[in-house]
Amino acid sequence: MSTRNPLPFDPIARAAEIWAERVGPSTTMAAVTSVMRVQQILQSAVDNALRPHNLTFARYEALVLLTFSKRGSLPMRVMGDRLQLHPTSVTNIVDRLEQDRLVRRMPHPTDRRTTLVEITEDGRDLMKKATEAVTEIDFGLRGITERQTQQLTELLGKVRHAAGDF
């Protein structure tokens, strides 16, 4: 929820009107601008929920990914693929999680070139607490129904697929 006073009008709708008058069709501009603004709103809500747990969304996602794995560990390369992050970003995330004793690096049992990242019990405990915090606020997604949330996910999935995300 925003801490500042809301505007008495929708600035994106107003921008779309002006765009249509001066540039041309504004449907795509309004949709993209709305998605970008909602991303900011959701990011702020999730950050606020995770901050007391000393987590960013990226570190939280990594902990969730590790708890979802069968053995509680994954190769760093696989983490990067699943989280869709550059290897340097994965390294930075793992460094921070390791400093906080939430994960540990381990050698792969059969491939000396591969490093595994394993979640610790502290990591599992923190992931559960952080999950309670983000689910309590519905990840910041407010104002739409469960069915609309499913439709939104489906529509955004189509955009992601068209962009080659999966």
Side-chain angles (χ1 to χ4, degrees), residues 3 35 49 58 73 113 154:
T3 57
V35 168
S73 65
R113 298 166 297 170
E154 291 166 12

Side-chain angles (χ1 to χ4, degrees), residues 41-51 57 60 134 137 139-140:
I41 292 166
L42 298 177
Q43 188 72 53
S44 177
V46 170
D47 286 347
N48 288 336
L50 293 175
R51 190 172 293 114
F57 188 62
Y60 172 71
V134 293
I137 62 155
F139 285 82

Side-chain angles (χ1 to χ4, degrees), residues 1-2 7 16 18 27 36 40 58 65-67 74 95 121 133 138 140 146-147 154 158 163 166:
M1 183 157 189
S2 177
L7 294 172
I18 296 168
T27 307
M36 298 292 201
Q40 293 170 335
L65 177 64
L66 290 169
T67 62
L74 288 170
D95 285 348
E121 280 306 311
D138 291 327
E146 178 76 18
R147 178 64 191 131
E154 291 166 12
K158 290 175 186 266
F166 63 96

Side-chain angles (χ1 to χ4, degrees), residues 55-141:
L55 288 174
T56 62
F57 188 62
R59 291 196 301 267
Y60 172 71
E61 278 188 307
L63 292 175
V64 170
L65 177 64
L66 290 169
T67 62
F68 284 1
S69 69
K70 290 178 184 160
R71 293 181 179 88
S73 65
L74 288 170
M76 287 184 66
R77 178 191 49 77
V78 172
M79 289 181 68
D81 290 346
R82 302 269 169 79
L83 296 172
Q84 298 174 310
L85 294 172
H86 187 274
T88 303
S89 296
V90 176
T91 299
N92 290 335
I93 289 167
V94 171
D95 285 348
R96 284 294 309 269
L97 291 172
E98 191 173 40
Q99 286 171 6
D100 293 341
R101 293 176 166 63
L102 302 173
V103 302
R104 67 180 141 257
R105 285 180 170 92
M106 300 175 28
H108 191 282
T110 59
D111 184 351
R112 293 185 314 166
R113 298 166 297 170
T114 300
T115 298
L116 294 175
V117 179
E118 179 180 67
I119 190 165
T120 64
E121 280 306 311
D122 286 349
R124 287 181 190 280
D125 292 343
L126 185 61
M127 192 281 302
K128 287 177 188 172
K129 291 175 188 169
T131 297
E132 289 172 10
V134 293
T135 57
E136 184 175 302
I137 62 155
D138 291 327
F139 285 82
L141 190 61

Side-chain angles (χ1 to χ4, degrees), residues 12 28-42 152 156 159:
I12 295 173
T28 304
M29 181 280 298
V32 171
T33 304
S34 292
V35 168
M36 298 292 201
R37 178 62 185 133
V38 169
Q39 190 276 335
Q40 293 170 335
I41 292 166
L42 298 177
L152 178 61
L156 294 174
V159 173

